[in-house]
Amino acid sequence: MRLNYKRLGDYIQTVNIRNKNLEVETLLGVSIRKVLMPSIANTIGTDMSRYKIINKNQFAYSSVTSRNGDKISIALLENHDKALVSQAYTVFEIIDDKTLNAEYLMMWFRRPEFDRYARFKSHGSARETFDWEELQDTELPIPSIEKQHEIVKEYNTVANRITLNETINKKLEDTAQALYKNWFVDFEFPNEQGKSYKCNGGKMVFNEELDLEIPLGWEVSGLSSIASYLNGTAMQKHPTDNIKKYTPVLKIRELNLGITDDNSDKASIDIPEKYKIYNGDIIFSWSGTLTIDIWSGGYAGLNQHLFKVFSNHFPKWYYYLSTKFYISEFIRIAEGNKTSMGHIKREHLDNSFVSYPIKGLNKLNLYFEPITQKIESNKIESQILKKIKNLLLSKMSKVAIEKETVC
């Protein structure tokens, strides 16, 4: 055992309390992000008295490690006083919270090194498991409880800022979409008197493409006419053996993560410039998981099944919000096209019409640009904070050693 490392099994114990009196109704499951979230399981007709009760500051974990990629399913109950989890989970708690802090231990479980350790220690043929005995044999540094609190506080400061940025961005996205719909779909933008245009008698003319009236002096175009939707390329055509200088490949996985990482494919740095992606680029996944986002994960190479959306004539906020306005419809089309992986075609972009004033669209930058720019800056800040958060997790293995050396 390494210096100052302790056997986890000496600090934790299992808890097995069943919901016999049906006193708890909230059912949670462990997500791939290692948090307890509302379960989507169909429980109609299920005997809930057999489910396990988990209390605040207790852990739930699944020994099966071959389900969630490289991550083990383990989480700490923090946002509920009491909840239910499936019988498949092992519920456990810390024996003495004056020697080991639950949040500190959860930080250890969040480390990618712990996931790799758990996978390495997993065994089984059809289904690999990291069983309770293996979890108990896990060794970790356990400094003084004061030091643990200090480490947790530092980590939470960063984590809370990331959460705050995500909350702010959600509200900004909702605000931008609501404003877009009000002005470009309902045509209730402010007229010269500052009043809503359409409901205050603004002049309207019939438009055949939209089959409805639009404001006088406005035009209608398909999405593909207001912006370029550049499809990515098969990055395997640009291989590299250089482990220091390469282009991390942006696929749907990376778009959903918001970053490229060590598991991302690598391509040559000499890929065509048009496929190079930088912070602030608009990326639209048109196959599989359809989504559109402002990329903030740094330099990358655009793989196929992803569009880079750009325009030399329309403001970025306009083609971003216009495309996003149609996402729900695109998802519906893709769901009905699932002979293989659901997707949309170019013609769907051609036939998705949006309207805009022939003159003066750029004057609206004043209202929309600050919103999308703030979303972008928050996302970039969060990426930096996530690196700091990961750095704090990686430093945990050294904390206790350094302290003991000082002593």
Side-chain angles (χ1 to χ4, degrees), residues 14-20 23-28 36 47-55 58-61 77 82-92:
T14 58
V15 179
N16 188 3
I17 302 175
R18 303 296 173 130
N19 190 32
K20 292 180 180 177
E23 59 180 299
V24 185
E25 296 180 353
T26 303
L27 178 61
L28 304 177
L36 282 156
D47 180 6
M48 302 304 291
S49 67
R50 300 175 63 186
Y51 277 59
K52 292 181 179 178
I53 294 176
I54 179 172
N55 290 299
Q58 290 180 340
F59 297 80
Y61 107 99
L77 185 65
K82 190 174 289 189
L84 294 179
V85 293
S86 161
Q87 311 93 306
Y89 289 110
T90 298
V91 177
F92 67 92

Side-chain angles (χ1 to χ4, degrees), residues 185-394:
V185 178
D186 300 330
F187 309 122
E188 298 295 4
F189 54 88
N191 61 18
E192 293 179 353
Q193 290 75 43
K195 298 179 180 178
S196 298
Y197 183 86
K198 184 178 177 181
C199 67
N200 283 282
K203 292 183 178 179
M204 307 288 285
V205 294
F206 184 76
N207 179 270
E208 290 185 359
E209 284 89 355
L210 290 177
D211 194 24
L212 51 75
E213 290 188 326
I214 64 171
L216 180 67
W218 281 46
E219 193 162 288
V220 171
S221 299
L223 286 175
S224 54
S225 295
I226 66 166
S228 297
Y229 292 77
L230 173 70
N231 192 26
T233 187
M235 282 292 162
Q236 61 265 36
K237 295 179 182 175
H238 307 278
T240 183
D241 294 326
N242 193 326
I243 60 173
K244 292 184 177 179
K245 293 183 179 180
Y246 59 85
T247 298
V249 178
L250 170 57
K251 296 182 175 180
I252 295 174
R253 170 186 175 273
E254 283 72 23
L255 183 62
N256 291 330
L257 287 174
I259 56 169
T260 59
D261 59 17
D262 292 342
N263 294 321
S264 300
D265 290 345
K266 298 176 177 57
S268 166
I269 59 171
D270 297 322
I271 62 172
E273 182 64 33
K274 64 180 181 180
Y275 297 123
K276 293 181 177 178
I277 300 300
Y278 303 94
N279 283 344
D281 284 341
I282 304 297
I283 307 299
F284 173 27
S285 164
W286 56 271
S287 176
T289 305
L290 273 69
T291 185
I292 183 169
D293 203 2
I294 303 173
W295 178 251
S296 60
Y299 170 65
L302 188 69
N303 200 59
Q304 54 192 350
H305 300 295
L306 296 176
F307 287 134
K308 178 167 71 174
V309 189
F310 60 96
S311 174
N312 294 325
H313 304 290
F314 287 82
K316 185 165 79 172
W317 61 262
Y318 180 70
Y319 58 80
Y320 169 65
L321 293 174
S322 295
T323 308
K324 192 157 190 172
F325 178 75
Y326 274 98
I327 280 293
S328 297
E329 175 63 11
F330 291 154
I331 291 173
R332 187 193 65 77
I333 293 170
E335 287 289 330
N337 189 27
K338 270 193 171 177
T339 51
S340 53
M341 190 161 60
H343 62 278
I344 62 167
K345 301 176 181 177
R346 286 277 179 183
E347 64 191 56
H348 296 122
L349 296 173
D350 300 338
N351 296 325
S352 297
F353 295 106
V354 292
S355 57
Y356 52 89
I358 297 173
K359 297 180 180 179
L361 182 61
N362 284 329
K363 292 181 181 177
L364 303 182
N365 292 350
L366 175 69
Y367 300 95
F368 289 92
E369 227 170 46
I371 299 176
T372 52
Q373 286 178 348
K374 183 60 179 174
I375 292 171
E376 186 177 327
S377 65
N378 280 346
K379 288 169 70 71
I380 292 172
E381 181 187 82
S382 290
Q383 293 297 353
I384 296 171
L385 290 170
K386 286 175 183 177
K387 290 180 181 177
I388 295 174
K389 192 172 75 168
N390 291 336
L391 182 63
L392 292 174
L393 292 178
S394 67

